[in-house]
């Protein structure tokens, strides 16, 4: 079992930055590939970013590439999503997710591939 708790959401103006954190407890964090997803009102949950279990590989949705950065600190059981140059269309509830990684370089981009989810944190970007 893995428990995930997100923090760092809030209200920011367009062009601003936010830093989301996800703290994990339970099974050894360093064996988990981690992902960030988001869900806007009336829309399906969508992939944002993913990072492999030891952080060597990352992957981003085209919509956030160059603006968002995912990183992890396995010693602190945390994964972070640094969001810069935020746009109103980034407004959503952001979720972190975890799943056991078969390989240290593996990451996953589909929601069904993740077994564990946090409760989510709201990010609102005003224009």
């Amino acid at each position: 079992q893995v428990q995930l708790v997100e923090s760092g959401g809030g209200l920011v103006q367009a062009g601003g930055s936010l830093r989301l954190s996800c703290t994990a407890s339970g099974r050894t964090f360093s064996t988990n590939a981690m992902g960030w997803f988001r869900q806007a009102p009336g829309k399906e949950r969508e992939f944002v970013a993913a990072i492999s279990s030891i952080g060597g590989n990352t992957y981003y949705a085209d919509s956030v590439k160059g603006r968002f950065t995912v990183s992890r600190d396995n010693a602190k059981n945390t994964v972070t999503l640094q969001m810069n140059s935020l746009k109103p269309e980034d407004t959503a509830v952001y979720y972190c997710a975890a799943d056991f990684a078969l390989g240290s370089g593996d990451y996953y981009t589909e929601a069904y591939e993740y077994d564990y989810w946090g409760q989510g944190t709201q990010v609102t970007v005003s224009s």
Side-chain angles (χ1 to χ4, degrees), residues 48-61:
V48 174
I51 187 166
S52 57
S53 61
I54 60 172
N57 292 331
T58 58
Y59 190 79
Y60 300 91

Side-chain angles (χ1 to χ4, degrees), residues 17-98:
S17 298
L18 280 175
R19 186 179 181 91
L20 305 184
S21 293
C22 174
T23 301
S25 59
R27 192 175 64 195
T28 305
F29 181 69
S30 61
T31 64
N32 294 317
M34 301 295 295
W36 285 97
F37 290 76
R38 65 187 181 187
Q39 188 166 18
K43 295 187 177 181
E44 294 187 352
R45 190 169 298 190
E46 65 173 357
F47 168 77
V48 174
I51 187 166
S52 57
S53 61
I54 60 172
N57 292 331
T58 58
Y59 190 79
Y60 300 91
D62 287 344
S63 58
V64 306
K65 200 172 296 182
R67 300 187 297 123
F68 291 10
T69 302
V70 61
S71 60
R72 66 189 295 161
D73 184 341
N74 286 347
K76 297 182 178 179
N77 286 5
T78 60
V79 61
T80 300
L81 185 68
Q82 177 66 43
M83 306 186 295
N84 298 328
S85 302
L86 283 161
K87 304 175 181 180
E89 51 263 45
D90 294 318
T91 295
V93 177
Y94 282 71
Y95 299 89
C96 70

